[in-house]
Amino acid sequence: MKKKFLSLALAAAMAASLTACGGSGDAQATTQATEAPAADAAGTETTAANATEAPAAADGATWKIGAIGPLTGGAAIYGNAVVNGAQIAVDEINAAGGINGFQIEYMSADDEHDAEKAVNAYNSLKDKGMQLLVGTTTSNPCIAVADKTAADNMFQLTPSGSAVECAANPNVFRVCFSDPDQGAASAKYIGEHKLATKIAVIYDSSDVYSSGIYAKFAAEAANQGLEIVAEEAFTADTNKDFTTQLQKAKDAGAELVFLPFYYTEAALVLTQANTMGWDPIFFGCDGMDGILGVKNFDTSLAEGLMLLTPFAADAEDELTVNFVTTYKENYGDIPNQFAADSYDAVYALKAALEDANANPDMSVSDICEAVKASMVKISVDGLTGAGMTWNAEGEPSKAPKAVKIENGAYVSME
């Protein structure tokens, strides 16, 4: 199986702010071609010169798109956000006429953030006729499922599987940044904005997401003139008490603590740092998104926390405002980055399927080959980036940004 190389498209993007598209309530897509595209009724543009002729589909045929993620358990805030964000996109697209005139039939399955259960979820959705997969949500389950989609040659677009291995197979693309890209971008942001010079890192050495971000962060920190004064690890078996790591970071004179792991452990870190009477700058990555929703967590302790993210619900562009409004109406909550990633993922599939002139009666393998060829042509103006493009390795190119928690809400930073 051909393996991919990591995209370095993020290199100079960290200082830029996300610019979402205006003039429409839906994500917009165009193909990368010299010939002028023709827009369809849904506002998605395809280029006839690059489209291929597909056999006519039977009456009543639908696109069967599946989603896999943790809908229950400790990481459920991610999986439910992915399913909800995609559902909003599906509803919009179906109301506007579907994809190439065919409606989307959307289905989801729970993996409980477990690799074996994710494979079972994949097999269940495949038995129901799934043709394309938006998932999985978290990295370890995504890696396990990616081997299955590769064997079936089913196209897989993960909204948030950020480990390098998630997109190693040629049938898998992603919407989020890879772990190394997040690590490098975080170090660049801290350095370029002069947030601190003495840095402590606490990371989960048993988790590919956390350790992958940390490794690249450490390498880029040296280029930014940042001194890592403490490097403290924990594992899934020791993720409840962080007082030793925090004390070492404090004793080393750290001004900023980088936390490249998920919000559940981060809430404990902030709580225990407060108990110690220590208040450095805390900086996280996309896994930190969700900390304000942790049960029994004193959210005032997150005041001033920064995190790297391509999406901020407080943005005032039309696309974001409409999405946040719909999400609140449908689910009674403010959408996080994972919801935005999956919304953009569905629109990326729409753009690629329309560029390929594909239809639901094509085989799963033929759909995969058609979408792979079109993904490197399209450009999507979505919630998580304007002019998003993808390379042949499945890596996205878009500009990230950081947000800061102020008064219990995420606020965009310049």
Side-chain angles (χ1 to χ4, degrees), residues 94-349:
N94 281 343
I99 301 174
N100 291 335
F102 300 97
Q103 295 285 287
I104 300 170
E105 187 178 337
Y106 183 55
M107 58 190 81
S108 61
D110 187 8
D111 66 16
E112 300 179 42
H113 187 45
D114 179 86
E116 182 177 352
K117 291 178 180 177
V119 171
N120 292 337
Y122 171 72
N123 289 330
S124 174
L125 292 179
K126 189 173 70 168
D127 289 343
K128 294 178 181 178
M130 177 175 62
Q131 299 164 305
L132 301 126
L133 173 61
V134 175
T136 65
T137 300
T138 50
S139 288
N140 281 336
C142 188
I143 294 168
V145 169
D147 285 341
K148 303 303 179 183
T149 60
D152 294 332
N153 201 32
M154 179 184 293
F155 188 80
Q156 179 178 349
L157 180 57
T158 173
S160 48
S162 55
V164 172
E165 295 86 350
C166 289
N169 296 327
N171 65 304
V172 185
F173 284 58
R174 70 172 120 229
V175 175
C176 66
F177 296 120
S178 69
D179 295 340
D181 278 351
Q182 287 199 67
S186 296
K188 287 193 66 177
Y189 191 93
I190 292 167
E192 291 176 357
H193 290 76
K194 303 186 185 305
L195 299 181
T197 56
K198 294 182 180 296
I199 313 296
V201 181
I202 300 175
Y203 70 102
D204 184 350
S205 60
S206 66
D207 180 60
V208 293
Y209 167 80
S210 186
S211 55
I213 293 176
Y214 159 67
K216 195 67 175 182
F217 177 88
E220 182 57 32
N223 298 331
Q224 296 297 321
L226 305 177
E227 180 186 1
I228 297 181
V229 297
E231 304 174 29
E232 300 299 320
F234 66 93
T235 68
D237 296 324
T238 60
N239 65 351
K240 297 296 186 291
D241 186 353
F242 299 92
T243 53
T244 298
Q245 293 93 330
L246 288 166
Q247 189 63 54
K248 288 182 177 180
K250 181 181 180 181
D251 292 345
E255 303 158 333
L256 181 149
V257 182
F258 182 53
L259 307 174
F261 46 85
Y262 295 116
Y263 62 89
T264 46
E265 291 91 351
L268 294 175
V269 169
L270 297 184
T271 300
Q272 292 165 19
N274 179 68
T275 301
M276 293 170 52
W278 189 40
D279 188 27
I281 299 170
F282 289 103
F283 195 105
C285 294
D286 60 3
M288 187 72 72
D289 196 356
I291 193 168
L292 294 178
V294 174
K295 187 176 181 180
N296 299 323
F297 173 61
D298 180 359
T299 56
S300 69
L301 300 181
E303 189 72 10
L305 171 69
M306 302 179 193
L307 61 143
L308 186 75
T309 177
F311 172 74
D314 68 316
E316 297 180 352
D317 63 279
E318 183 182 358
L319 181 61
T320 300
V321 169
N322 289 345
F323 176 70
V324 171
T325 299
T326 302
Y327 198 96
K328 286 180 178 178
E329 291 174 350
N330 289 357
Y331 307 110
D333 201 0
I334 297 174
N336 60 22
Q337 169 191 318
F338 293 81
D341 281 334
S342 64
Y343 177 93
D344 287 350
V346 174
Y347 272 101
L349 288 181

Side-chain angles (χ1 to χ4, degrees), residues 368-385:
C368 181
E369 292 303 312
V371 173
K372 279 166 50 181
S374 290
M375 283 294 293
V376 297
K377 304 175 189 176
I378 63 172
S379 174
V380 177
D381 287 336
L383 292 164
T384 67

Side-chain angles (χ1 to χ4, degrees), residues 395-407:
E395 301 291 348
S397 176
K398 56 184 176 180
K401 66 175 183 177
V403 297
K404 185 177 183 178
I405 295 178
E406 293 182 353
N407 299 317

